[in-house]
Amino acid sequence: MRLKKQKRHRRTVRFYTTCFGFREPFKVLCDGTFIHHLLVNRIAPADSALSNILGGAVKVFTTRCVLAELKSLGESYSESLKAAGELITARCDHEKRKSAVACMMEVVGEKNPEHFFLATQDADLREKLQEVPGVPLIFGLRNALLLESPSAFQRQFAKSTEEGRLHMSEAEYKMLRTKSTLEAEEAMKFADANESEGDQNGGTQAMRKANDGGKRIGVKDKVQFKRKKAKGPNPLSCKKKKNLGLPTFVSKSESNDGSETVRSRSNKKRKRSRKGKKLEATNG
């Protein structure tokens, strides 16, 4: 249960920080009923208990009207008055003392510009403040403190303000329209000036061509660069072709035509002379 409560409190604080701009240290405005509840249930110190709920640094406030109300209640609330006197007094511009409920409602106002967390045990006051956007409520339950979840009205208000931020307001639309028209007029003036300059430049170029008398026929105004074509591979990086060392056979016709004759040893046959045989036959 404790983990679920901590997650719910963390989610509520994140809602108010993102949608209404609450920042640390969080300001907690306490009335007399809440201070008395803390003393009766011995929840002390108050700032550490509140910081555990909100998950950040805390500054605890009260008002002069709350102090005056506690003082008027007598000795039974003397300890509560002493504890409330140690808190920071928030500014409430009241010439005459008002009730704590009226004072709290005026300090919070219509949109809670000071970003106060309101701590009270008054159920009627909490119900009224649920209809005010951006007012998180804290109350005590026995010896524990609870942070109320945002009401349906507050969630709807946050959603509508977010949608309003996404769309363009009428004042912004008028400003954008005037700005666009001014930019269009400036662009038209700039284009007209360029056209007039272009006509002047064209006239001067025509005069120059006429003065040249056609001598620059065939001469190009701009230099045309040739594209580099892909060349062959680097001969130093290529391997040389290997000679397999096979014998070369040349035909007779090729040998007669050429200056050198190549003979192979395999075709070379030695002829025996028959003169000796003829001499022996004659002698016999």
Side-chain angles (χ1 to χ4, degrees):
M1 291 295 291
R2 185 176 295 177
L3 289 173
K4 288 183 179 179
K5 186 170 69 174
Q6 288 177 355
K7 286 182 180 179
R8 187 174 68 251
H9 290 168
R10 208 177 298 138
R11 199 181 304 119
T12 304
V13 172
R14 196 183 303 121
F15 170 78
Y16 286 106
T17 53
T18 54
C19 297
F20 296 99
F22 282 69
R23 294 290 180 269
E24 291 188 32
F26 299 117
K27 299 177 183 179
V28 182
L29 185 63
C30 304
D31 66 347
T33 59
F34 185 78
I35 296 168
H36 185 70
H37 178 82
L38 293 177
L39 289 174
V40 169
N41 292 280
R42 297 179 181 178
I43 302 172
D47 53 354
S48 63
L50 291 167
S51 64
N52 289 333
I53 293 173
L54 303 179
V58 166
K59 288 184 179 181
V60 187
F61 292 82
T62 190
T63 62
R64 290 183 299 174
C65 296
V66 172
L67 293 172
E69 189 178 56
L70 287 172
K71 189 176 180 180
S72 65
L73 292 174
E75 293 182 358
S76 58
Y77 287 87
S78 60
E79 292 183 3
S80 302
L81 177 62
K82 186 178 179 180
E86 295 176 356
L87 303 179
I88 304 169
T89 55
R91 186 176 179 181
C92 59
D93 298 327
H94 298 147
E95 295 179 359
K96 295 181 180 181
R97 182 177 69 86
K98 290 187 176 182
S99 64
V101 175
C103 181
M104 292 286 177
M105 291 295 292
E106 287 190 10
V107 170
V108 168
E110 295 181 356
K111 292 184 179 180
N112 192 12
E114 295 294 329
H115 300 106
F116 280 119
F117 284 81
L118 192 69
T120 181
Q121 295 296 112
D122 192 347
D124 295 333
L125 179 59
R126 291 205 308 268
E127 189 175 355
K128 289 178 182 178
L129 291 173
Q130 284 179 354
E131 301 298 324
V132 179
V135 182
L137 300 171
I138 300 171
F139 65 96
L141 187 64
R142 295 179 184 176
N143 59 350
L145 299 179
L146 298 174
L147 177 64
E148 280 192 8
S149 299
S151 62
F153 174 79
Q154 291 177 348
R155 291 184 183 277
Q156 186 65 29
F157 181 83
K159 189 176 180 180
S160 61
T161 52
E162 187 178 358
E163 290 178 355
R165 278 192 231 107
L166 294 174
H167 298 291
M168 193 183 298
S169 63
E170 293 182 1
E172 290 175 347
Y173 180 73
K174 288 180 181 178
M175 289 174 65
L176 183 64
R177 191 173 181 181
T178 54
K179 189 176 180 180
S180 61
T181 52
L182 289 172
E183 288 178 354
E185 289 176 359
E186 289 179 359
M188 290 293 291
K189 289 179 181 178
F190 185 71
D192 294 338
N194 287 335
E195 286 180 0
S196 62
E197 288 179 0
D199 294 338
Q200 292 177 1
N201 293 330
T204 54
Q205 288 179 2
M207 291 293 291
R208 286 176 184 174
K209 287 181 180 179
N211 293 329
D212 290 342
K215 292 181 181 179
R216 297 181 64 186
I217 295 171
V219 179
K220 295 181 179 179
D221 294 335
K222 295 182 181 180
V223 181
Q224 291 184 355
F225 297 97
K226 293 183 179 180
R227 292 185 179 178
K228 292 183 179 181
K229 295 181 180 180
K231 297 180 180 179
N234 189 359
L236 297 176
S237 64
C238 298
K239 291 183 178 180
K240 293 182 180 180
K241 293 182 180 180
K242 293 182 180 180
N243 190 5
L244 299 175
L246 297 174
T248 56
F249 298 97
V250 183
S251 61
K252 291 182 179 181
S253 60
E254 290 178 354
S255 62
N256 292 329
D257 295 336
S259 60
E260 295 180 0
T261 58
V262 181
R263 295 179 181 178
S264 62
R265 292 182 180 179
S266 60
N267 294 330
K268 195 174 183 182
K269 292 183 180 180
R270 190 174 180 180
K271 294 182 181 180
R272 293 181 181 179
S273 62
R274 296 181 179 179
K275 291 180 180 181
K277 290 183 179 181
K278 289 179 180 181
L279 289 173
E280 287 178 358
T282 53
N283 291 329

